[in-house]
Amino acid sequence: MATVYLPVEPQLGMTSAERAEAIDAQVWCLRRPASLQSPQDITKYYYPRITHPVTGEVAIVGDTTEEIYINPLVDLTELLALLPEVPQAEKDGLVAYIDANRGSSVPFGQLIPSTSTQLTQVEAEALGWFPDPIEP
Amino acid sequence: MPDISELNGTAIDNVAEFDGLTVTASTRLLDTYPNATFAYSIRRLNSAYTGACCRVYSTGTGIGEQDFGFDSNGILDIDAIVTFVGAGNNGVVVTWYDQSQSGGTGSGTDITQDTTNGPLLVDAGSPILVNGLPAFKAGERSGFDTSWTSVSQPFTLSSVTEEDSDAYLFGNNTQLRFRNSTETVWLGTDIDGGNTVPMGHHAFFGVGNGSSSFGKVSVADIQPAGVTFTNSSALDATLIGARWPNNSTGNRSWLQEFVLWGSDQNGAGQTSGIEANINEEYLIYQPTDAPTSGLLATYTGAEAAYSVRQLSNKALIALRIRRDSDDEEANIGFDANGDLDTQAIADFCQTANGYVTRWWDQSTNGNHIDQALNTIQPKIYNGTTVITSGTTTVRPSLQFETTDAVPLANTSLDLTFASSLSQPITASIITRDIVTTTDEMCWLNPISGSAELSIASDGTPDVLRFYAGTELVSTSQKDADMMLFTVFNTTSSEMFKNNSSIVSGNAGTNSLSSLRIGGLRTGPNERFGIHGNVQEYILWGSAQSATNRNGIHTDTNSYFGIY
């Protein structure tokens, strides 16, 4: 397990929390596309998210080594639209990578855009993502 | 001459039906509420009907089409259909057989569709399910054509469907329509009962009978009172399924049951009975009726009650679970003994792992506790068997895992109360098979923010404690299996372990705005979650008396065998 903290910047008129939630939902759609989801599905997201106690910024807490199943029916349109900062060439590469792996699994780390900040547990702690525990 | 698959389905079902040792009474809808005009369903509705359920066409080259009956549980034999359709192929429903009459296949008024437009039952080799049961996916494709033109009043229409968008389910005049735009249901008029009706798995009950027309639709968290309205239209029955208008793209619906009676079943006082029959099969919603038996009937006033046993005779659903093979979710109820229906879990998950996405509240408050995050849902099934706890008495358990090294890898279930719970509050928690005895744990916490109420333990020293603004600490250590019973009542607060008082005093006056079972509460005063299993978790909005406490312990310990 290799935990990675991915702070999400506000973009597209969305706050950090809103955009992180939307991206997280689209990560879940890699495995269970919207076309297969049921309205009463409780499961909506792949990974937990954490809020910075001072800045309010939200980070997705992923696992770079986790193998994510790519559903054959996956549609990347909405995920790509949430990543305007990612160069088009890199988006094209992501599409090709996903297309080549439909029906199989890929490590989450291979899906993280080069433009995304990636923090280790130690780095996240140093940047104040976890306040010191206070009893009780 | 019926084909062999039809005979198999019928024969298997009839064996169960005539096994006097195991079948106590028929619960088939039309046995109790007979004389339907037509009846289409993915379950057997009528003991006198011995025919097939539907006819399925496979898109695989040269496979053709075949009739299929019901399995031993009286449900459409989806496993046989998937085998017939073949890997990677689609299974298209071309005929839905009417079960309203006595006799075999073809004895009623069947409805049909062609192989191009018929609803799907198998999509690329995978069965289409709603809440774990077979469903015909219409909408984007089509519904069924019928030979009916119209049905004059009075009539009663009952249906079980799922929608995720604007869908027209019945005819094109007096349409049974779910409107995504306004979240209402329409049968000549809006019949939302003053509530919006979210998309989802719906049980619809509508009556056309002039000024006594009646309708209601229930979905997971909403069971509205019925609405009486005036409608004099005949029912347009020419189409069943989302065929109107023009097979609109993006409109999806899943069909499981349509039954029509040429009479006013509401006027005859049959509404609640028909609704109960349907919900007991499809497990669409948790009834919010006050219990008349069970622990919650004796010890009333629960704000939230979660358990692997039936605590209220009115509660039907225990868990919603996700199997990790294809991420389908299904509600799981109780067996005839009031125990968690472990066979249903095994049938649904088969060789996949099963995770709890919702622990249904058995109180009357609808305080269901959920986890929407795939990676931190508690586990209930390991691909082979249901997870259990206990040595002398073994019962199913939700397995929570946590690791201090990766705080957000802690499994949890979360609930935000509609309004904060003020003291007094009593919490009864059955927690077992704690995997370590030195780490800190937390059984009760808000989701985030400053500590409100908490029930926790420390690692070093290993003590139990609770808090509602002021901390009370016991020298008693946590046990591998224990019942924690905590009364939050400001200056008269007290905690019991296995019905022995371990600490009392002034715990403070805080209220509880949200509840996290397991997991890490993030933000200030963060705490880690549960390293082990939980089987029951009840919150009362009152301070239970000593007499009640003894009674609750006796009842609970007799079921779980904790101490």
Side-chain angles (χ1 to χ4, degrees):
Chain A
M1 185 170 194
T3 303
V4 62
Y5 293 78
L6 304 168
V8 177
E9 295 180 358
Q11 281 268 21
L12 304 168
M14 290 186 280
T15 64
S16 171
E18 291 167 343
R19 185 164 170 248
E21 180 178 324
I23 291 172
D24 200 357
Q26 288 304 311
V27 176
W28 176 242
C29 286
L30 295 173
R31 180 161 152 167
R32 185 161 169 81
S35 61
L36 296 179
Q37 290 182 20
S38 162
Q40 66 262 23
D41 278 0
I42 301 294
T43 311
K44 303 287 186 189
Y45 310 102
Y46 207 106
Y47 285 119
R49 299 181 294 277
I50 188 169
T51 304
H52 194 288
V54 176
T55 67
E57 189 176 28
V58 171
I60 294 171
V61 186
D63 177 357
T64 57
T65 61
E66 179 164 3
E67 295 285 329
I68 294 185
Y69 174 72
I70 305 298
N71 194 289
L73 300 176
V74 72
D75 181 350
L76 292 175
T77 306
E78 290 191 42
L79 176 60
L80 295 176
L82 288 166
L83 305 171
E85 74 278 19
V86 176
Q88 188 58 48
E90 188 173 333
K91 286 183 179 177
D92 294 342
L94 178 63
V95 171
Y97 183 62
I98 292 293
D99 283 344
N101 287 283
R102 288 175 187 264
S104 58
S105 298
V106 301
F108 176 65
Q110 294 294 315
L111 305 178
I112 300 173
S114 62
T115 52
S116 177
T117 300
Q118 301 184 44
L119 304 175
T120 64
Q121 177 82 22
V122 172
E123 290 169 337
E125 281 189 44
L127 291 171
W129 282 90
F130 305 108
D132 292 334
I134 302 170
E135 300 300 329
Chain B
M1 171 71 96
D3 62 41
I4 190 65
S5 68
E6 179 184 323
L7 289 173
N8 282 344
T10 301
I12 290 170
D13 195 28
N14 282 345
V15 168
E17 189 177 305
F18 291 120
D19 182 353
L21 294 176
T22 57
V23 176
T24 55
S26 170
T27 57
R28 305 204 191 288
L29 182 71
L30 297 187
D31 293 357
T32 309
Y33 307 98
N35 304 317
T37 305
F38 60 68
Y40 311 107
S41 181
I42 55 91
R43 62 170 175 156
R44 276 199 80 189
L45 294 172
N46 179 2
S47 295
Y49 175 72
T50 57
C53 173
C54 64
R55 188 168 185 83
V56 177
Y57 167 80
S58 173
T59 57
T61 304
I63 297 177
E65 56 188 53
Q66 186 169 302
D67 287 343
F68 289 90
F70 305 93
D71 65 16
S72 58
N73 295 315
I75 302 297
L76 174 61
D77 191 351
I78 189 67
D79 292 340
I81 293 172
V82 169
T83 300
F84 165 76
V85 169
N89 299 325
N90 289 341
V92 181
V93 182
V94 293
T95 306
W96 204 356
Y97 293 112
D98 179 13
Q99 300 183 46
S100 67
Q101 306 301 310
S102 299
T105 304
S107 57
T109 305
D110 309 320
I111 54 179
T112 60
Q113 188 51 269
D114 60 45
T115 58
T116 302
N117 296 305
L120 287 184
L121 181 55
V122 179
D123 187 355
S126 297
I128 293 174
L129 306 174
V130 169
N131 208 8
L133 294 174
F136 303 163
K137 184 181 178 183
E140 290 174 326
R141 293 171 64 88
S142 184
F144 294 96
D145 294 328
T146 82
S147 59
W148 304 95
T149 52
S150 65
V151 177
S152 58
Q153 294 195 1
F155 63 81
T156 299
L157 175 63
S158 169
S159 69
V160 179
T161 60
E162 180 183 80
E163 293 74 29
D164 70 353
S165 56
D166 202 348
Y168 297 71
L169 292 178
F170 212 94
N172 57 15
N173 184 13
T174 309
Q175 302 154 350
L176 168 56
R177 174 185 179 189
F178 291 86
R179 301 178 63 190
N180 196 25
S181 54
T182 55
E183 293 188 330
T184 57
V185 178
W186 199 85
L187 181 59
T189 187
D190 284 331
I191 49 172
D192 57 12
N195 295 286
T196 57
V197 180
M199 297 297 104
H201 200 193
H202 298 105
F204 171 84
F205 185 89
V207 171
N209 190 18
S211 60
S212 298
S213 295
F214 176 85
K216 64 188 299 189
V217 60
S218 300
V219 67
D221 298 324
I222 299 176
Q223 299 102 56
V227 177
T228 300
F229 58 97
T230 297
N231 182 293
S232 57
S233 302
L235 181 68
D236 180 341
T238 54
L239 305 167
I240 293 179
R243 184 76 186 278
W244 174 270
N246 303 321
N247 303 335
S248 300
T249 58
N251 292 1
R252 299 191 302 174
S253 57
W254 292 259
L255 318 177
Q256 291 181 310
E257 185 166 303
F258 287 89
V259 180
L260 185 98
W261 291 268
S263 57
D264 181 350
Q265 295 285 344
N266 184 53
Q270 309 287 30
T271 304
S272 61
I274 292 171
E275 287 178 324
N277 179 287
I278 288 170
N279 198 37
E280 285 166 8
E281 184 72 73
Y282 292 97
L283 297 178
I284 297 170
Y285 57 90
Q286 184 81 296
T288 52
D289 304 318
T292 54
S293 65
L295 182 77
L296 299 184
T298 307
Y299 306 101
T300 58
E303 293 288 345
Y306 317 105
S307 185
V308 296
R309 62 170 170 156
Q310 192 174 26
L311 296 168
S312 157
N313 61 317
K314 301 297 184 181
L316 290 177
I317 314 174
L319 304 172
R320 185 168 182 83
I321 63 174
R322 175 182 63 84
R323 63 185 182 197
D324 68 354
S325 54
D326 60 2
D327 300 310
E328 285 286 337
E329 295 186 12
N331 291 330
I332 301 296
F334 305 98
D335 64 17
N337 298 316
D339 302 326
L340 181 66
D341 190 347
T342 54
Q343 186 60 53
I345 294 175
D347 289 346
F348 178 66
C349 292
Q350 298 186 15
T351 59
N353 294 302
Y355 296 91
V356 176
T357 63
R358 165 172 285 185
W359 207 351
W360 286 82
D361 180 14
Q362 297 186 47
S363 82
T364 59
N365 300 311
N367 283 320
H368 317 302
I369 192 163
D370 297 343
Q371 182 49 265
L373 300 171
N374 157 62
T375 51
I376 57 172
Q377 291 161 342
K379 199 171 188 177
I380 187 67
Y381 187 81
N382 63 12
T384 304
T385 186
V386 171
I387 291 167
T388 58
S389 282
T391 50
T392 56
T393 303
V394 176
R395 299 291 188 188
S397 287
L398 279 68
Q399 179 178 305
F400 291 79
E401 295 179 356
T402 188
T403 166
D404 294 358
V406 186
L408 293 182
N410 299 298
T411 52
S412 66
L413 294 167
D414 291 348
L415 163 71
T416 299
F417 291 105
S419 57
S420 292
L421 301 185
S422 299
Q423 295 188 43
I425 297 170
T426 300
S428 175
I429 303 169
I430 311 302
T431 180
R432 306 226 284 184
D433 294 347
I434 305 303
V435 295
T436 70
T437 57
T438 56
D439 291 341
E440 65 177 32
M441 295 188 203
C442 195
W443 287 272
L444 187 153
N445 241 335
I447 294 173
S448 63
S450 299
E452 297 172 336
L453 271 63
S454 69
I455 299 173
S457 66
D458 275 349
T460 307
D462 184 10
V463 295
L464 290 162
R465 60 191 193 172
F466 70 114
Y467 171 89
T470 302
E471 185 180 33
L472 294 174
V473 181
S474 165
T475 56
S476 179
Q477 299 179 346
K478 57 183 170 290
D479 296 337
D481 299 345
M482 59 183 175
M483 178 174 178
L484 284 175
F485 193 91
T486 309
V487 180
F488 292 93
N489 193 16
T490 62
T491 56
S492 300
S493 298
E494 191 166 9
M495 175 186 270
F496 301 82
K497 182 178 75 173
N498 300 339
N499 209 16
S500 294
S501 177
I502 55 174
V503 60
S504 62
N506 181 5
T509 59
N510 287 352
S511 301
L512 187 66
S513 61
S514 62
L515 173 63
R516 169 165 286 174
I517 301 177
L520 173 80
R521 178 168 55 77
T522 57
N525 309 328
E526 68 180 27
R527 305 283 315 173
F528 293 105
I530 302 167
H531 312 247
N533 298 347
V534 178
Q535 295 172 308
E536 186 166 289
Y537 202 112
I538 306 173
L539 296 176
W540 283 276
S542 59
Q544 294 291 347
S545 66
T547 301
N548 281 3
R549 171 171 50 78
N550 288 328
I552 292 167
H553 276 82
T554 299
D555 179 291
T556 305
N557 197 43
S558 111
Y559 186 83
F560 289 105
I562 304 158
Y563 58 92

